[in-house]
Amino acid sequence: MKKALITGITGQDGSYLAELLLEKGYKVSGMVRRSSVENYERVEHIREKLNFVQGDLTDQSSLDEAIKEIMPDEVYNLAAQSFVPTSWNQPVLTADVTGLGVTRILEAIRKHKSDTKFYQASSSEMFGKVQEIPQTEKTSFYPRSPYGVAKVYGHWITVNYRESYNIFACSGILFNHESPRRGLEFVTRKVTHTVAKIKLGLAKELRMGNMEAKRDWGFAGDYIYAMWLMLQQDQPDDYVIATGETHSVQQLVNIAFDCVGLNAKDYVVTDPKFLRPAEVDLLIGSSEKAKKKLGWTPSVSFEKLIEMMVKEDISLLNQNKVRH
């Protein structure tokens, strides 16, 4: 029975990955931070099947202990301070968790179980001010936020440990991937949740920042399958995971309102407070390498994804109504 350790197991990607690994017969452990409020909402339905260990990416000894205790065959590092706007307010914390945290976990693997296969969650935000379109594994990085900078560090330290210590370490450069489990602070979920509230008469407007920004958005369930595939290969490597299609925030908003039969123009208000100090305008990835080497392709279209999220949010809000 293979053993896997997932950092960030209670997040969107962690919860989908835990489900996938359980289906594949793994013994799954998740690393969680000690906090006064426990939030296992996304993994509640599989909680009894999971093993939780306490640890923190800012604390080396807790990572050493986790690796020694579990002796995992695979480690998926999905934990991070992953919200871009927060990285402007907390740049040092973001560097410590999202950047140096990767070194700490690689050190724990190197010292205690060097044959562990390691997956690092890299990000399309590393491309930032894009140097070519579409972005591939060979495109140079030009991050435009403290988060993007920290992710570049995490990416290169992963390459470094692979080449210096012969650790099976892969980075997945994942473009935006969304789902009904996405946090409410992220633009896609903010839109679908607010549209659901407007439809149910619980809100009157949707306040937005830059409507022209374009992203390559896919379904998180598809993307975590790519992570798993990377660690099943004979050789470790880095892969861009993306749909190869780009959509603007405006299109996202229009589709979400269309799902509930409303016109976006009647409800959207532009609010300067949601604009970033340095904006990333166009991200679009090429997954040619992942298609060729991993046999991976996305299965859920952008329209279907937004529709899925709006429906789930309506159902969630209805359930809350019933509870209250």
Side-chain angles (χ1 to χ4, degrees):
M1 196 180 202
K2 273 193 187 174
K3 290 179 290 188
L5 170 64
I6 303 172
T7 73
I9 194 167
T10 56
Q12 167 187 257
D13 292 9
S15 65
Y16 280 110
L17 182 60
E19 285 173 353
L20 176 77
L21 296 178
L22 288 171
E23 273 169 33
K24 294 195 175 292
Y26 282 66
K27 184 173 195 298
V28 181
S29 297
M31 198 175 80
V32 287
R33 271 179 309 183
R34 170 81 192 92
S35 73
S36 52
V37 183
E38 288 189 338
N39 182 8
Y40 291 99
E41 194 185 330
R42 295 183 181 96
V43 290
E44 200 56 65
H45 61 297
I46 49 171
R47 194 171 170 176
E48 309 77 68
K49 299 176 184 169
L50 302 170
N51 169 47
F52 293 101
V53 288
Q54 285 196 351
D56 194 306
L57 288 181
T58 61
D59 180 65
Q60 184 69 55
S61 62
S62 69
L63 299 175
D64 288 340
E65 287 309 309
I67 297 295
K68 280 196 289 192
E69 182 189 323
I70 294 156
M71 297 302 274
D73 299 292
E74 297 173 1
V75 169
Y76 295 86
N77 182 37
L78 310 184
Q81 188 304 96
S82 65
F83 189 46
V84 175
T86 299
S87 78
W88 292 103
N89 300 331
Q90 301 184 320
V92 177
L93 175 77
T94 301
D96 196 14
V97 176
T98 307
L100 290 177
V102 187
T103 312
R104 293 189 190 103
I105 201 153
L106 282 164
E107 269 296 282
I109 288 169
R110 181 181 73 80
K111 289 186 295 198
H112 307 296
K113 195 174 184 301
S114 61
D115 64 343
T116 295
K117 291 182 169 187
F118 176 75
Y119 172 83
Q120 166 59 12
S122 283
S123 164
S124 59
E125 289 286 328
M126 302 189 306
F127 295 122
K129 189 174 179 181
V130 299
Q131 302 301 292
E132 64 176 353
I133 294 168
Q135 292 91 56
T136 71
E137 294 78 8
K138 293 188 165 65
T139 304
S140 53
F141 300 136
Y142 195 142
R144 298 269 280 170
S145 65
Y147 170 74
V149 173
K151 279 290 186 188
V152 170
Y153 175 90
H155 181 83
W156 281 117
I157 202 72
T158 301
V159 172
N160 209 264
Y161 271 65
R162 177 167 76 215
E163 293 176 353
S164 309
Y165 301 116
N166 207 21
I167 287 172
F168 191 111
C170 299
S171 281
I173 306 172
L174 271 53
F175 279 66
N176 294 57
H177 46 289
E178 318 296 317
S179 75
R181 299 180 194 173
R182 192 56 142 151
L184 286 168
E185 69 274 25
F186 291 89
V187 69
T188 46
R189 184 74 198 290
K190 171 186 163 175
V191 169
T192 63
H193 194 255
T194 308
V195 166
K197 280 167 83 172
I198 290 170
K199 179 65 180 170
L200 296 173
L202 302 170
K204 289 189 167 60
E205 61 180 24
L206 169 62
R207 301 188 82 83
M208 297 296 291
N210 180 7
M211 298 287 278
E212 298 313 307
K214 294 188 170 82
R215 291 289 183 277
D216 181 327
W217 277 296
F219 172 51
D222 286 339
Y223 285 43
I224 56 105
Y225 183 57
M227 300 175 184
W228 177 77
L229 284 172
M230 286 177 213
L231 298 197
Q232 312 316 308
Q233 305 305 304
D234 295 334
Q235 296 298 322
D237 208 344
D238 306 323
Y239 298 89
V240 164
I241 302 298
T243 66
E245 283 181 15
T246 184
H247 299 276
S248 66
V249 174
Q250 182 71 62
Q251 283 172 292
L252 156 68
V253 168
N254 291 347
I255 291 168
F257 276 103
D258 285 349
C259 287
V260 296
L262 297 173
N263 188 339
K265 286 195 189 82
D266 300 336
Y267 302 95
V268 177
V269 178
T270 306
D271 188 336
K273 123 174 152 196
F274 295 114
L275 298 171
R276 292 180 192 174
E279 184 56 84
V280 173
D281 294 316
L282 174 62
L283 289 172
I284 178 166
S286 165
S287 305
E288 282 311 304
K289 181 174 168 184
K291 279 181 187 140
K292 276 198 192 95
K293 291 196 169 181
L294 307 176
W296 179 85
T297 50
S299 69
V300 177
S301 72
F302 180 66
E303 290 75 15
K304 282 272 177 289
L305 170 65
I306 302 308
E307 206 175 296
M308 176 204 303
M309 291 174 69
V310 172
K311 278 184 181 157
E312 284 279 333
D313 275 326
I314 288 175
S315 136
L316 190 71
L317 289 162
N318 278 328
Q319 278 167 17
N320 288 348
K321 258 203 226 163
V322 171
R323 280 198 206 114
H324 296 118

